[in-house]
């Protein structure tokens, strides 16, 4: 492969590629020899002139931010998604050896599995196979923990409601009045995004849409109302790639605690030795469909599969 402008000519000396798994950064290293058309010897500071050459055909080397060139490419290969990140110059004979480094996080495969927006089961056979395409990684990291709450009545007849914020009636049971631990699963859901397809201004919308909300649909194996998005953070990985992290917590009591009705004296109403009226109560919060965090595309289906299954295949 060669290129020529009115001042310089270049040709590719060699190229090396490094393609890994879906969490890897994939790289291409392209090495060119650049020489002047007038056969004059180059000075070391001529690197800037090579980069800024605006004559017909110039510059004769890749530009920072340009995509790696594939003959007859259609934009569907991982190599075409790799952009030039760095140029290195080294005097070589009468010319200049230029090394162009390209990288991408897009992973090309024809074996990716996917889950639709309303799907939960990753154990179906055969697993849903997606069309060949470019994909980005996603994962869920869980941590088991507990929260402490006061158990006023045990052996209650009404369980914590999944959608309501307050029980409609007395939950029954007998007095216990002890502190207990309620099991929780704190999860970090990580999505790698490309801001060329999902701008940061839209990511800000995700923060507003999900923070402080409960789930309206089943998600990650948990039922409606059992999850709470406690926060969203955005981390810059490199170049155009960012990581959106949702802190999602599940609660076996749907975030409820027990509350006793109070009398006019400010003390709990009693019925002999038991509290007269105990209700399940929790904070009033909005709710959204957590499944909508995944893009409505094969990329989103793949990322949901990765979060549920743990692998992309």
């Amino acid at each position: 492969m060669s290129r020529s402008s009115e001042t310089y000519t270049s040709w590719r000396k060699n190229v090396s590629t490094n393609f890994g798994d879906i969490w890897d950064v994939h790289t291409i290293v392209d090495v060119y020899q650049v020489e002047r058309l007038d056969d004059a010897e180059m000075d070391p500071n001529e690197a800037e002139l090579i980069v800024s050459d605006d004559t017909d055909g110039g510059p004769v080397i890749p530009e920072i931010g340009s995509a790696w060139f594939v003959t007859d490419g259609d934009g569907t290969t991982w190599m075409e998604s790799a952009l030039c990140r760095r140029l290195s110059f080294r005097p070589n004979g009468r010319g200049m050896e230029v090394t162009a480094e390209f990288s991408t996080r897009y992973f090309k495969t024809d074996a990716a599995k996917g889950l639709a927006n309303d799907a939960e089961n990753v154990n179906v056979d055969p697993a849903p196979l997606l069309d060949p395409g470019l994909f980005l990684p996603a994962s869920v990291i869980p941590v088991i923990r507990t929260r402490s709450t006061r158990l006023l009545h045990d052996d209650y007849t009404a369980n914590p409601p999944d959608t309501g914020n307050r029980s409609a009636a007395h939950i029954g049971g007998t007095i216990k009045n002890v502190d207990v631990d309620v099991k929780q699963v704190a999860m970090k859901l990580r999505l790698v995004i490309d801001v060329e397809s999902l701008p940061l201004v839209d990511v800000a919308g995700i923060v507003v849409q999900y923070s402080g909300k409960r789930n309206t649909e089943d998600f990650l194996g948990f039922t409606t109302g059992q999850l709470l998005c406690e926060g969203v953070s955005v981390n810059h990985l490199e170049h155009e790639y960012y990581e959106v992290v949702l802190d999602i917590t599940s609660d076996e009591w749907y975030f409820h605690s027990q509350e006793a009705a109070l009398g006019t004296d400010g003390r709990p109403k009693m019925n002999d030795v038991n509290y007269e009226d105990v209700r399940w109560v929790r904070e009033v919060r909005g709710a959204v469909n957590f499944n909508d965090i995944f893009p409505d595309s094969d990329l989103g289906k793949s990322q949901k599969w990765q979060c549920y299954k743990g692998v992309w295949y």
Side-chain angles (χ1 to χ4, degrees), residues 9-23:
T9 185
S10 73
W11 62 91
R12 177 180 286 152
K13 297 177 65 176
N14 60 72
V15 59
S16 60
T17 60
N18 185 347
F19 181 63
D21 204 355
I22 196 167
W23 281 98

Side-chain angles (χ1 to χ4, degrees), residues 83-309:
L83 303 184
C84 184
R85 312 298 184 181
R86 181 189 300 273
L87 295 172
S88 303
F89 298 81
R90 185 179 68 86
N92 183 29
R94 301 185 66 82
M96 192 83 70
E97 184 180 87
V98 182
T99 300
E101 300 174 39
F102 296 77
S103 69
T104 182
R105 280 186 173 264
Y106 278 104
F107 177 75
K108 176 68 180 286
T109 180
D110 60 0
K113 308 294 196 313
L115 278 180
N117 181 281
D118 58 351
E120 287 276 308
N121 187 9
V122 295
N123 296 315
V124 294
D125 187 21
L129 187 67
L130 300 176
D131 291 334
L134 297 171
F135 302 96
L136 291 171
S139 69
V140 170
I141 301 176
V143 176
I144 311 301
R145 68 186 188 189
T146 61
R147 67 174 173 95
S148 179
T149 189
R150 195 72 175 173
L151 182 68
L152 302 179
H153 269 194
D154 200 4
D155 299 323
Y156 40 81
T157 57
N159 291 320
D162 56 355
T163 55
N165 297 312
R166 185 178 182 86
S167 298
H170 176 48
I171 66 174
T174 56
I175 193 167
K176 193 74 171 180
N177 209 14
V178 296
D179 290 328
V180 296
D181 288 332
V182 179
K183 292 192 290 293
Q184 292 186 325
V185 180
M187 296 168 282
K188 287 190 178 294
L189 190 154
R190 304 168 57 200
L191 299 174
V192 174
I193 66 168
D194 171 7
V195 293
E196 293 214 32
S197 57
L198 182 65
L200 281 181
V201 66
D202 294 335
V203 175
I206 294 175
V207 175
V208 174
Q209 181 179 357
Y210 291 90
S211 293
K213 303 293 180 61
R214 295 194 183 94
N215 61 312
T216 60
E217 308 293 335
D218 290 357
F219 188 73
L220 291 174
F222 297 94
T223 59
T224 299
Q226 199 173 4
L227 297 175
L228 172 65
C229 180
E230 299 192 282
V232 182
S233 60
V234 181
N235 306 314
H236 184 214
L237 299 175
E238 76 282 321
H239 311 302
E240 64 271 26
Y241 299 105
Y242 287 74
E243 181 184 58
V244 178
V245 183
L246 284 81
D247 290 305
I248 299 174
T249 301
S250 75
D251 188 282
E252 66 171 329
W253 281 3
Y254 296 85
F255 303 95
H256 282 280
S257 297
Q258 293 182 357
E259 179 183 274
L262 303 180
T264 57
D265 59 358
R267 293 183 295 180
K269 294 180 179 181
M270 302 298 294
N271 181 7
D272 194 11
V273 296
N274 295 318
Y275 292 108
E276 181 180 296
D277 188 355
V278 176
R279 308 287 179 103
W280 293 110
V281 295
R282 67 181 181 184
E283 292 180 324
V284 177
R285 295 181 179 272
V288 294
N289 186 352
F290 284 13
N291 293 286
D292 291 340
I293 186 64
F294 302 108
D296 185 20
S297 62
D298 277 0
L299 171 60
K301 292 177 182 178
S302 169
Q303 289 187 317
K304 183 174 180 179
W305 175 272
Q306 293 175 60
C307 288
Y308 276 63
K309 184 72 173 181

